[in-house]
Amino acid sequence: MDLFRQAILRQGPPEEFALLTVQEAIKPQKQTKLVQDENQLLENILRLLLQELVAAAVQSGQKVMKYGVSIVDGESSQGQIPRLLDIVLYLCEKEHVEGGMIFQLLEDLTEMSTMRNCEDVFGYIESKQDILGKPELFARGKLVMLRTCNQLLRRLSKANDVVFCGRIIMFLAHFFPLSERSAVNIKGVFNTSNETKYETEVPEGISIDFNFYRTLWSLQEYFCNPPSLINAPGKWHKFTSSLTLVLNTFEAQPLSDEEGNAHNLEDDAATFNIKYLTSSKLMGLELKDPSFRRHVLVQCLILFDYLKAPGKSEKELPSEAMKEEIKTSEERAKKLLEMTPPKGIDFLHSIEHILERERNWVWWKRDGCPPFEKQPVEKKLVQDGTKKRRPRWSLGNKELSQLWKWADQYSNALTDAQRVSTPAITKYWKPLAEDMDESAGIEAEYHHKNNRVYCWKGLRFSARQDLEGFSRFTEHGIEGVVPLELLPNEVRARYQAKPSERTKRTKKEDTKNSAQQAEENQIATPPSEMDNQVCQADPEASAAPMDTDAGMATVNISQEETPTPEDNQKQSSDTDVAQEAGQTEADTEAETAMIDGETDAEDVTDTAG
């Protein structure tokens, strides 16, 4: 121990004498690295020396980290305790001693020091953060350092030592990597000991709504323990009713821009306290304070964000009714934050950004902290500094060129009869025929006739293979194109035309064509031939038309002038045309009657006469 007392008083860097001091004090079996028993012996010596130095500093009334400081040649030397820590840190870094020894000394030092001295000790830890965070040291002492920091946080006051607590938390965030699961609250435990005490009985001489005062501060019971709301319907109903009352009050008493600007938030940040005063006398002033309102509304958003957080079991998830109430209350809280001056919209955007990052953090931690950093792609250096040319393909890219080679090798595959085959018309229309069968019970919206591509292809196939069926499309639609042999009897009768109707239609078309041809022949015949034809006409066939027109001709002659030979010729031609047309219609009706079996031989003779 005396050797180390002399070592911490020497000037110069530790690498000049640290290892020699250890070798003289321990006399190890190896020259550069101690074995387990030797490490334990050295650790006991250093811990005892550190305890004596701290006791001496307390007795002298000096600060622990300033004990032993002397001024030499106008420059102040380093304290004895920091000098001892530097020597041990150098030995641990060079792996001459066990790596966790420096962390054990730092833990002992914080336990022996007061809170004022702990701030200086922690300053030394922050200054050596880069060395302490090296992998060879971090693996040995991360749990000891975590325990040391947690003990400091428990000893500190969360209301008076806010800055020091923040320094410790920031150090842990930098000291531990992001993937370290020790910083995760896996069980979701909340600090239920953080109780907010407020008045429960109405004080005298206070002109405020005491019911609102008690309701507002009762929300802190739910904010400090959100899981208690999920499996307790009565508690959730009480919370929503209390929150609705608070939000209604905030909406009924909005803050003006003048009231918002009267409170300088920068000055409030300098004197920030983690808890507000709960006296009922301050209720009126707190309602006019924009930071107080924001504090309550942000707590609401944090609570709602926790209830909607991912990765929970079914028992921990809120019900559908709770989700609707959460959504409604969350929208109202965000709207109130926008209305709260100053810069309410910017403040809301900042809170939403923070909550989104928190949700991503929770997802990442609960998935096991998967790596999110992409490994850099190693660029292969080209020899001789020449750039490698990209391959050139004959058809633009590798796939088209390969396809072209396959076509050369397998030319028969393109002309194979089985490669592309046109289906038979009966096979193609079979699905639609099954849809038309009412006994199948297929709904109309699922029929194949609704598929335009299917109908279009079917019409093309029918035009090539079944022209008669294709002609039924104009009369019956797409269902008429289906071959009749595929349809059941009751459906087939609908689309099958009767023979009599086909015969009548054919005869009418023939009669019309013959009448048009007769007119064309008569117009083209000279007048002399027309007279001869009139004279040679059958007297019995022309008797009726001439008798009928005789009276009309007499009236015309008596009322008008005598007809000329040209008029007579025109009249005779009209008579012949009417005679031929009447005879043709009579023949058609007679034939139709014979086919239908509705007339006998006598009727046919009379009609023909």
Side-chain angles (χ1 to χ4, degrees):
M1 184 181 298
D2 294 335
L3 294 175
F4 283 100
R5 288 181 182 273
Q6 297 174 5
I8 60 179
L9 298 176
R10 294 178 59 177
Q11 301 295 327
E15 54 265 22
E16 295 180 357
F17 56 88
L19 182 59
L20 295 175
T21 304
V22 173
Q23 292 174 353
E24 293 178 2
I26 303 299
K27 296 180 180 179
Q29 301 175 5
K30 299 180 181 180
Q31 295 296 324
T32 58
K33 193 171 184 179
L34 302 181
V35 296
Q36 183 176 1
D37 295 339
E38 295 169 349
N39 277 311
Q40 187 64 41
L41 177 60
L42 179 61
E43 181 179 344
N44 294 335
I45 294 174
L46 294 175
R47 295 178 70 178
L48 183 59
L49 177 59
L50 180 63
Q51 184 177 359
E52 292 180 359
L53 292 175
V54 172
V58 172
Q59 291 178 359
S60 63
Q62 299 181 6
K63 291 185 177 181
V64 171
M65 300 301 288
K66 300 294 184 180
Y67 175 72
V69 175
S70 61
I71 300 176
V72 179
D73 298 333
E75 296 181 0
S76 61
S77 62
Q78 194 176 12
Q80 294 184 11
I81 293 178
R83 185 67 171 172
L84 176 62
L85 296 175
D86 287 345
I87 295 173
V88 178
L89 181 60
Y90 167 75
L91 294 173
C92 293
E93 182 183 4
K94 299 302 179 181
E95 299 183 355
H96 297 315
V97 298
E98 204 274 328
M101 193 177 297
I102 181 63
F103 296 96
Q104 186 63 51
L105 293 179
L106 290 172
E107 183 181 16
D108 292 345
L109 182 59
T110 54
E111 290 180 352
M112 291 184 293
S113 303
T114 60
M115 293 310 304
R116 293 181 180 179
N117 292 327
C118 283
E119 190 169 356
D120 296 334
V121 174
F122 192 77
Y124 174 84
I125 296 175
E126 289 177 325
S127 64
K128 305 297 181 180
Q129 177 179 338
D130 296 337
I131 302 176
L132 294 174
K134 288 184 176 181
E136 58 271 11
L137 295 181
F138 176 77
R140 295 287 185 178
K142 64 176 183 179
L143 296 180
V144 179
M145 181 55 64
L146 180 62
R147 183 171 64 243
T148 303
C149 293
N150 287 334
Q151 289 175 355
L152 284 175
L153 290 174
R154 293 190 187 98
R155 294 169 60 185
L156 292 172
S157 172
K158 293 180 175 58
N160 300 326
D161 301 321
V162 178
V163 178
F164 192 15
C165 291
R167 287 173 57 188
I168 297 174
I169 295 175
M170 292 299 295
F171 169 76
L172 291 175
H174 289 286
F175 184 72
F176 287 88
L178 287 176
S179 58
E180 177 62 37
R181 291 182 60 83
S182 59
V184 184
N185 186 10
I186 299 176
K187 296 182 180 180
V189 180
F190 286 84
N191 183 19
T192 56
S193 61
N194 182 21
E195 298 180 359
T196 301
K197 297 180 180 180
Y198 55 93
E199 301 173 5
T200 57
E201 297 181 359
V202 182
E204 299 179 358
I206 300 298
S207 60
I208 64 168
D209 188 355
F210 191 78
N211 184 28
F212 171 76
Y213 162 80
R214 187 166 47 191
T215 302
L216 175 64
W217 289 112
S218 66
L219 293 177
Q220 300 299 322
E221 300 176 6
Y222 309 105
F223 291 153
C224 70
N225 190 17
S228 62
L229 296 174
I230 296 178
N231 298 324
K235 208 169 186 180
W236 170 257
H237 179 70
K238 185 176 180 181
F239 167 74
T240 53
S241 60
S242 300
L243 180 61
T244 303
L245 177 61
V246 173
L247 295 179
N248 291 338
T249 304
F250 285 174
E251 291 175 352
Q253 301 179 10
L255 297 178
S256 61
D257 294 338
E258 297 179 355
E259 292 175 340
N261 295 329
H263 293 79
N264 192 346
L265 298 181
E266 295 181 357
D267 296 342
D268 293 345
T271 59
F272 174 76
N273 290 321
I274 197 169
K275 295 180 71 69
Y276 280 91
L277 300 177
T278 59
S279 174
S280 58
K281 298 178 181 179
L282 302 175
M283 191 75 261
L285 297 176
E286 288 175 340
L287 285 178
K288 296 181 181 180
D289 185 3
S291 61
F292 178 79
R293 290 199 180 192
R294 287 177 174 177
H295 186 85
V296 176
L297 295 174
V298 169
Q299 282 183 306
C300 295
L301 295 181
I302 294 174
L303 173 66
F304 296 149
D305 199 65
Y306 168 78
L307 296 177
K308 298 185 301 181
K312 298 180 180 178
S313 60
E314 294 183 358
K315 295 181 180 180
E316 297 176 347
L317 291 175
S319 61
E320 295 297 330
M322 290 177 62
K323 289 180 180 179
E324 293 296 330
E325 294 178 353
I326 289 172
K327 183 179 179 181
T328 304
S329 301
E330 186 177 15
E331 292 177 354
R332 294 183 64 185
K334 289 182 178 180
K335 187 175 181 181
L336 285 171
L337 282 175
E338 287 184 359
M339 298 169 55
T340 303
K343 300 179 181 180
I345 298 177
D346 296 339
F347 181 80
L348 176 61
H349 291 340
S350 301
I351 295 299
E352 289 178 342
H353 179 68
I354 294 172
L355 293 177
E356 183 180 3
R357 288 176 60 90
E358 186 68 18
R359 285 191 294 270
N360 296 334
W361 174 265
V362 172
W363 269 114
W364 183 64
K365 287 289 185 179
R366 293 192 176 183
D367 291 343
C369 303
F372 56 88
E373 296 180 355
K374 294 183 178 180
Q375 298 296 332
V377 180
E378 296 182 0
K379 296 182 179 180
K380 297 182 179 179
L381 298 177
V382 182
Q383 297 180 356
D384 299 334
T386 58
K387 294 183 179 180
K388 187 177 180 180
R389 296 182 61 183
R390 297 177 61 184
R392 298 183 63 181
W393 308 102
S394 57
L395 293 180
N397 56 47
K398 181 179 179 180
E399 288 74 15
L400 289 176
S401 299
Q402 187 66 31
L403 183 62
W404 185 259
K405 291 180 181 179
W406 288 346
D408 294 340
Q409 297 173 4
Y410 307 100
S411 58
N412 296 331
L414 300 176
T415 59
D416 188 6
Q418 297 181 356
R419 178 175 175 269
V420 179
S421 59
T422 302
I425 196 67
T426 55
K427 182 178 180 181
Y428 186 83
W429 287 116
K430 187 175 181 181
L432 182 56
E434 295 176 355
D435 296 343
M436 295 169 62
D437 188 3
E438 296 180 356
S439 62
I442 301 176
E443 298 180 1
E445 58 180 338
Y446 301 110
H447 282 197
H448 285 75
K449 66 180 180 181
N450 299 326
N451 190 342
R452 296 183 179 182
V453 177
Y454 174 80
C455 298
W456 178 75
K457 289 183 178 180
L459 290 174
R460 287 173 60 91
F461 295 154
S462 297
R464 295 177 181 177
Q465 303 179 28
D466 186 14
L467 192 58
E468 181 181 357
F470 179 74
S471 63
R472 292 196 297 268
F473 176 75
T474 57
E475 185 175 356
H476 300 290
I478 193 64
E479 294 181 344
V481 186
V482 179
L484 299 178
E485 58 268 20
L486 298 177
L487 301 175
N489 295 331
E490 59 273 9
V491 181
R492 187 186 308 173
R494 256 186 277 166
Y495 302 100
Q496 188 175 12
K498 297 180 180 179
S500 59
E501 294 178 358
R502 289 200 301 267
T503 306
K504 289 180 181 180
R505 187 163 55 249
T506 305
K507 292 297 183 179
K508 288 181 180 180
E509 292 178 356
D510 294 343
T511 303
K512 185 176 181 180
N513 294 335
S514 61
Q516 292 178 356
Q517 186 175 2
E519 289 182 4
E520 293 176 356
N521 294 337
Q522 290 177 3
I523 292 172
T525 305
S528 59
E529 296 180 2
M530 292 287 293
D531 295 338
N532 295 332
Q533 291 178 0
V534 172
C535 296
Q536 295 177 1
D538 188 2
E540 294 180 0
S542 60
M546 290 181 65
D547 294 341
T548 305
D549 296 339
M552 296 176 64
T554 305
V555 174
N556 292 334
I557 292 172
S558 62
Q559 293 179 358
E560 299 178 359
E561 58 184 5
T562 304
T564 61
E566 296 179 356
D567 295 337
N568 293 332
Q569 183 178 356
K570 184 175 181 182
Q571 183 178 359
S572 62
S573 65
D574 296 338
T575 304
D576 294 339
V577 171
Q579 179 182 359
E580 293 179 1
Q583 185 176 359
T584 304
E585 291 178 1
D587 295 340
T588 303
E589 293 176 359
E591 292 177 4
T592 304
M594 291 177 65
I595 294 173
D596 296 337
E598 297 175 358
T599 59
D600 51 16
E602 293 179 358
D603 295 336
V604 173
T605 305
D606 296 339
T607 305

